[in-house]
Amino acid sequence: WRAGIAIPIYLIMSMLAISSGVGGGLFWVPLFTALLQFDVKSAAALSQSCVAGGCIGGTLYSFMQRHPHDQERPVMDYNLALVLMPALVQGISFGVMLNYILPSLILSCLLIVTLLLISARTLHQGIKMVAAERRVRLEAQAREEELETRRSPMSPGYTDDETATFDEGSVRSRQ
């Protein structure tokens, strides 16, 4: 029964994680340990294979995409990817060594701390994004209300462009 609950949750989490570009490994380890009762080391290994599969799918999809501002360029920056690869390989090697050396309790604590830090950062960024979107929406609404006020027949200085006539000669004679 646990697998029946874990699979739909995994499906939804993987769709959200891969579409947002975060991989999802930090979310899958707690899922695998809590619902499927894997130990932390086995859950981390399974999570890494899931992330690898998602990365392969996302990379294949991104190969076909073009840059939104310059259709001549691909959406992926291959030079940056090549620069980041050595750091990625070193990080993987260090992580594998830590997974082998550290006991499960310490790995669980590190996982929880990392998850909390990432969650707090994501929440902070989300709050900033909502505030910025709200500000833009309010500015657009204020501009629209200002335009509506200018168009209103009750506003000062309103002229109906279709019926108003402008006689340049009478304006010059009054000056």
Side-chain angles (χ1 to χ4, degrees):
W1 67 271
R2 292 177 188 264
I5 294 173
I7 290 173
I9 293 173
Y10 173 79
L11 179 66
I12 292 168
M13 288 171 63
S14 63
M15 287 188 302
L16 293 173
I18 298 300
S19 66
S20 62
V22 297
L26 277 173
F27 306 112
W28 294 336
V29 173
L31 175 71
F32 296 153
T33 55
L35 280 178
L36 300 178
Q37 304 208 333
F38 283 97
D39 62 294
V40 175
K41 291 183 180 189
S42 299
L46 180 59
S47 170
Q48 291 167 0
S49 65
C50 294
V51 170
C55 288
I56 290 170
T59 302
L60 291 175
Y61 175 76
S62 295
F63 276 137
M64 297 178 282
Q65 300 299 312
R66 305 309 296 169
H67 194 276
H69 302 295
D70 184 7
Q71 292 297 317
E72 299 294 319
R73 294 187 325 170
V75 73
M76 291 181 9
D77 187 351
Y78 297 111
N79 293 328
L80 180 61
L82 288 173
V83 168
L84 293 176
M85 280 302 150
L88 176 66
V89 171
Q90 287 178 343
I92 290 170
S93 301
F94 185 67
V96 168
M97 286 190 309
L98 283 179
N99 193 26
Y100 181 73
I101 294 169
L102 295 176
S104 293
L105 180 63
I106 294 176
L107 288 174
S108 296
C109 290
L110 288 173
L111 175 70
I112 290 169
V113 168
T114 305
L115 186 59
L116 288 174
L117 290 173
I118 290 174
S119 298
R121 181 175 175 232
T122 303
L123 178 65
H124 179 69
Q125 288 177 341
I127 290 170
K128 284 179 17 183
M129 186 180 298
V130 167
E133 289 174 356
R134 182 177 293 143
R135 186 176 61 249
V136 168
R137 189 173 57 243
L138 289 175
E139 288 172 357
Q141 185 179 6
R143 282 193 302 270
E144 182 65 30
E145 288 175 0
E146 183 180 332
L147 287 174
E148 288 296 323
T149 305
R150 287 182 187 171
R151 292 182 201 141
S152 171
M154 300 303 289
S155 64
Y158 170 77
T159 59
D160 187 1
D161 292 337
E162 294 178 6
T163 59
T165 58
F166 184 74
D167 185 10
E168 288 182 14
S170 63
V171 171
R172 283 188 196 134
S173 62
R174 290 182 190 156
Q175 293 176 353

